[in-house]
Amino acid sequence: MQVLVSEVGPRDGLQSIKRTMPTEAKQRWIRALAASGLREIEVGSFVHPKWLPQMADAEDIVRDAVQIPGLTVLALVPNLKGAQRAMAAGAHKITVPIAASQLHNMANVRMTCEESIDAVAGICRLRDDAGSKTEVEVGIASAFGCTREGRVSEDWVMEMAVRLARVGVDSIGLSDSVGYANPAQVRRMFRRLISELGSKAGGAHLHNTRGQGLANVVAALDAGVTTIDASQAGIGGCPYAPGATGNIVTEDLVFLLESMGLDTGIDIDKLVAARAILAEALPGEPLYGHVPDAGVTKGFAYADPARSYVPAAEPREACNSAGAPA
Ligand code: ZN
């Protein structure tokens, strides 16, 4: 079975870092990520540069990324204007942020949830009128809880998902950018989403704020989810969750999936090597991940028997039970 790992670092990660990664470095990084086998990358955001100067080069980044063979290029758009810009640049997919919590949505896009659904309907109409094949995706944020409202009604999340499907959204996923989700809830809600939406049920966007990220991934897989978001080195916190570490780490996710027999098509060593571009372009920025530090396990094999894993020349030093080199 295949799982699609959707890399969100160049958008979700970089927008939460105050410094701006140079356009040339972003392009090199995206190419390195794609060369590792990632088939979908969220490369930028068409938010007004006044709000997110780090994303001011979104047009250039999308135009460059769509040249990469076999890569699905995704861009975030907050509104109709952003959708026009993203489609003009050639983005294959656009993703529109909406939160299930009224307070979160108001803080994020200054609209009620209902107004946001209408805005998405407008984006779908724009796409259809233009005869564009651009896919429209929504990840419902605060689907598992909200830093402002606490608990969020599961019934309301499902109602939003159904309304979004009705107005023409191609794929509706659930997002936990504040790290409130637990595995039982993730399993229950994705099962329900899939039964309500069928083929329009989208992926899982999970954060590791409270260390539950990969446990939540396994729960999402149990429910039948086949697209999981992650960011290289786990970059990307959340402006509404101060001090929070960010997205689940792509490198650790790929190791988890392949070890469980789920095919990602990603070369784990090439993926880890792409971190060097981040480290060079954003010196001092914390880069997270366990697999990049510890390496893969002895005897590690990819899920696809046609792909053989060749370990690096020197095995890493063994540790004794105290954790010191043996
Ligand atoms: Zn995120």
Side-chain angles (χ1 to χ4, degrees):
M1 192 183 127
Q2 291 198 333
V3 171
L4 179 69
V5 175
S6 184
E7 169 65 44
V8 301
R11 195 283 301 172
D12 189 333
L14 293 185
Q15 80 166 45
S16 70
I17 294 172
K18 281 215 157 49
R19 285 180 288 169
T20 299
M21 188 163 169
T23 304
E24 174 278 327
K26 282 188 193 177
Q27 289 170 339
R28 231 175 343 119
W29 183 37
I30 290 165
R31 283 182 185 277
L33 291 169
S36 78
L38 280 158
R39 286 174 287 134
E40 180 171 292
I41 305 181
E42 192 170 323
V43 299
S45 169
F46 287 86
V47 170
H48 195 286
K50 186 172 79 176
W51 304 112
L52 278 180
Q54 306 96 309
M55 297 286 130
D57 58 4
E59 257 103 2
D60 290 341
I61 296 293
V62 168
R63 284 186 205 284
D64 186 63
V66 293
Q67 308 299 322
I68 301 171
L71 181 69
T72 300
V73 175
L74 196 62
L76 184 140
V77 306
N79 50 33
L80 209 57
K81 174 92 182 116
Q84 282 164 333
R85 286 173 59 204
M87 283 195 257
H92 302 125
K93 266 194 194 181
I94 53 181
T95 181
V96 193
I98 298 190
S101 139
Q102 295 283 1
L103 292 178
H104 180 177
N105 203 60
M106 193 56 79
N108 214 10
V109 290
R110 288 178 294 280
M111 285 191 270
T112 64
C113 298
E114 291 79 2
E115 286 167 342
S116 271
I117 294 170
D118 289 344
V120 173
I123 290 172
C124 292
R125 274 196 303 274
L126 170 86
R127 182 262 321 261
D128 296 343
D129 292 348
S132 161
K133 295 233 179 326
T134 310
E135 276 183 52
V136 178
E137 180 186 283
V138 170
I140 301 178
S142 297
F144 303 93
C146 169
T147 52
R148 289 179 164 78
E149 292 187 7
R151 285 172 184 271
V152 171
S153 154
E154 293 184 15
D155 289 341
W156 168 238
V157 173
M158 294 304 146
E159 192 183 323
M160 278 186 80
V162 169
R163 285 197 208 173
L164 287 162
R166 249 186 237 137
V167 301
V169 178
D170 299 294
S171 158
I172 299 113
L174 302 179
S175 169
D176 178 31
S177 54
V178 289
Y180 271 39
N182 67 72
Q185 183 189 23
V186 168
R187 193 177 293 111
R188 183 174 67 240
M189 287 183 68
F190 272 105
R191 275 192 183 143
R192 199 168 155 191
L193 186 77
I194 291 165
S195 84
E196 298 267 4
L197 301 188
S199 63
K200 285 196 168 195
H205 183 96
L206 301 161
H207 275 223
N208 202 35
T209 321
R210 291 176 178 78
Q212 315 300 303
L214 291 184
N216 287 335
V217 167
V218 174
L221 295 169
D222 283 349
V225 174
T226 55
T227 301
I228 311 281
D229 290 357
S231 87
Q232 173 139 73
I235 61 168
C238 174
Y240 305 112
T245 54
N247 293 287
I248 55 168
V249 176
T250 313
E251 298 88 317
D252 293 350
L253 173 67
V254 169
F255 177 74
L256 173 90
L257 294 171
E258 293 287 345
S259 301
M260 289 175 73
L262 298 163
D263 178 23
T264 65
I266 296 165
D267 180 311
I268 201 158
D269 289 332
K270 283 188 187 167
L271 177 65
V272 170
R275 292 162 70 95
I277 300 170
L278 260 188
E280 169 215 306
L282 296 168
E285 201 58 47
L287 303 183
Y288 303 100
H290 294 285
V291 170
D293 286 343
V296 300
T297 48
K298 185 170 183 178
F300 171 79
Y302 287 114
D304 176 359
R307 301 170 63 213
S308 57
Y309 180 78
V310 181
E314 288 297 315
R316 287 160 200 258
E317 271 186 87
C319 292
N320 64 23
S321 58

